Amino acid sequence: MELLTIGAFARVVRLSPKALRLYDELGLLRPARVDPLSGYRLYSPDQVGQARLVAWLRRLGMPLARIRGVCGLPPGQAAAEVRAYWAQVEADTAARRGLASFLVEQLSEEDTTMTVALKYAVRTDQGLVRDANQDVGYAGDRLLAVADGFGARGEPLSSVAVEALAPLDTAIPAGELLNALADAVHRAGAAVGDYLSAHPAEGCSGTTLTAMVLSGSRLGLVHVGDARVYLLRGGALFRITHDHTAVQSLIAEGRLTEEEAWSHPQRSLLVRALTGAAVEPDLALHDALPGDRYLLCTDGLHAVVPEAGVREVLVSEREPEEAGRRLVELANAAGGPDNVVCVVADVVAA
Ligand code: MG
């Protein structure tokens, strides 16, 4: 096969010779041959496809090391890699979008007088299989929280984390909500780390932490782990948190379906939790409208009770207390394989 000069090859692939030299230097596309006398780069016509692929992947914003990996794969696997990369970009963008709107809200001159209040109940249960309850829930006039401890020190770590949030159960000016939430999670993480240093244990211990704080007519949300927050509004149920689990990442990347995830043996494997190391929580801001009903629950509920069952209870039970009691009943009717905690809170006109 006759080799092409860099100029001829550049014209065929519609890239500049400069770009081709850069790809060579970065190890993304080596010339088929370099003339030992002149140093000229020569390319084979069957490198056209790869050169175009490199150009497209760079346009996508994929990091160089990852492009190198993709170029070495057969097409099917390369497709999966591109899909996984893009799912990651979208997840990162979604997290930054939430943060951006939080900042916009916070920096806007908002009327912060409290026009709504919360009517709430907490219900927790050991379940039918576990020999201790490591789940903790909290509900107050301004703060709602659930934590699911795991490992040998799972309890008291879940309590340690929730107690660290207690200062949030007070009137926080809207302009300080974002910092207050971030500080509180930092405090909770440090408290978990301190406890583990003082009480070392075998294996990994830690806790999830999911909380909402009422400020004015807004609810700030902070979330680490696989507890969930659901919002019942106008009869429809919305899940407003993303599970920080390995399985959820696989779903986002299109490598696993929701149905496959439901029975995955490692479905509860966490990728983010409070274990003493630094952790980035998800932060978001939601409107608190009279008539809204929020449910914060650990995986002891959502892993065994389908959303339709959760919705039915939230729609039909008038009192938060009764809704919480029935949700725990459903978890135990489904085998009660795990501890469970439910916080049900209604937004009411103040
Ligand atoms: Mg659990």
Side-chain angles (χ1 to χ4, degrees):
M1 205 180 305
E2 195 167 337
L3 297 181
L4 302 171
T5 64
I6 190 167
F9 188 71
R11 278 191 296 280
V12 173
V13 299
R14 292 202 293 273
L15 287 165
S16 67
K18 189 178 163 196
L20 291 171
R21 280 193 292 272
L22 179 69
Y23 292 178
D24 182 14
E25 281 154 19
L26 297 173
L28 298 175
L29 181 73
R30 298 286 189 205
R33 196 166 83 84
V34 178
D35 188 286
L37 294 177
S38 64
Y40 287 161
R41 294 168 169 86
L42 298 165
Y43 292 84
S44 159
D46 57 19
Q47 288 184 290
V48 169
Q50 190 175 356
R52 300 296 301 272
L53 179 60
V54 169
W56 289 124
L57 293 175
R58 280 178 60 81
R59 187 154 150 191
L60 208 54
M62 187 180 278
L64 298 174
R66 202 150 176 177
I67 293 180
R68 234 173 264 136
V70 170
C71 287
L73 295 172
Q77 284 176 39
E81 273 308 304
V82 173
R83 192 187 302 121
Y85 165 71
W86 195 249
Q88 182 62 50
V89 169
E90 291 194 331
D92 292 348
T93 305
R96 289 166 60 205
R97 185 191 304 130
L99 189 55
S101 64
F102 202 139
L103 279 169
V104 168
E105 288 272 357
Q106 181 164 299
L107 294 168
S108 306
E109 296 284 330
E110 287 285 333
D111 179 12
T112 56
T113 51
M114 191 155 104
T115 55
V116 295
L118 298 175
K119 194 177 160 202
Y120 47 81
V122 191
R123 193 90 183 187
T124 185
D125 196 87
Q126 190 169 314
L128 305 177
V129 174
R130 300 293 174 89
D131 52 17
N133 191 353
Q134 301 186 318
D135 281 8
V136 169
Y138 176 96
D141 289 343
R142 311 263 188 170
L143 172 67
L144 312 167
V146 296
D148 179 349
F150 56 86
R153 300 279 184 255
E155 224 296 313
L157 287 181
S158 47
S159 306
V160 165
V162 169
E163 277 161 26
L165 294 189
L168 293 175
D169 199 0
T170 179
I172 297 168
E176 289 166 28
L177 187 54
L178 185 56
N179 290 333
L181 287 172
D183 289 350
V185 172
H186 181 77
R187 235 177 10 247
V192 163
D194 289 348
Y195 186 89
L196 286 173
S197 305
H199 308 84
E202 292 229 344
C204 184
S205 288
T207 183
T208 72
L209 186 61
T210 300
M212 301 195 88
V213 176
L214 183 66
S215 169
S217 56
R218 302 271 192 274
L219 277 162
L221 166 70
V222 65
H223 169 63
V224 180
D226 67 347
R228 288 183 181 175
V229 180
Y230 290 98
L231 163 62
L232 183 75
R233 177 177 284 172
L237 189 68
F238 305 93
R239 196 220 296 185
I240 61 173
T241 49
H242 296 281
D243 299 345
H244 297 149
T245 56
V247 160
Q248 190 58 50
S249 308
L250 293 175
I251 294 171
E253 291 171 10
R255 296 177 200 244
L256 208 63
T257 66
E258 291 276 359
E259 292 70 41
E260 289 163 342
W262 185 259
S263 57
H264 197 281
Q266 290 183 311
R267 58 169 298 168
S268 62
L269 189 68
L270 291 170
V271 291
R272 259 192 266 176
L274 301 185
T275 57
V279 67
E280 274 312 313
D282 288 346
L283 293 160
L285 196 60
H286 293 271
D287 287 326
L289 304 179
D292 284 349
R293 171 170 274 186
Y294 283 90
L295 165 68
L296 288 73
C297 65
T298 51
D299 66 337
L301 180 75
H302 69 71
V304 293
V305 179
E307 283 183 8
V310 171
R311 182 184 164 275
E312 195 279 318
V313 169
L314 293 177
V315 166
S316 60
E317 291 300 336
R318 238 179 89 86
E319 297 300 318
E321 183 70 43
E322 195 53 21
R325 191 187 63 74
R326 276 199 51 209
L327 289 171
V328 167
E329 252 176 33
L330 282 183
N332 285 336
D338 195 1
N339 310 143
V340 59
V341 63
C342 294
V343 170
V344 180
D346 290 341
V347 179
V348 296

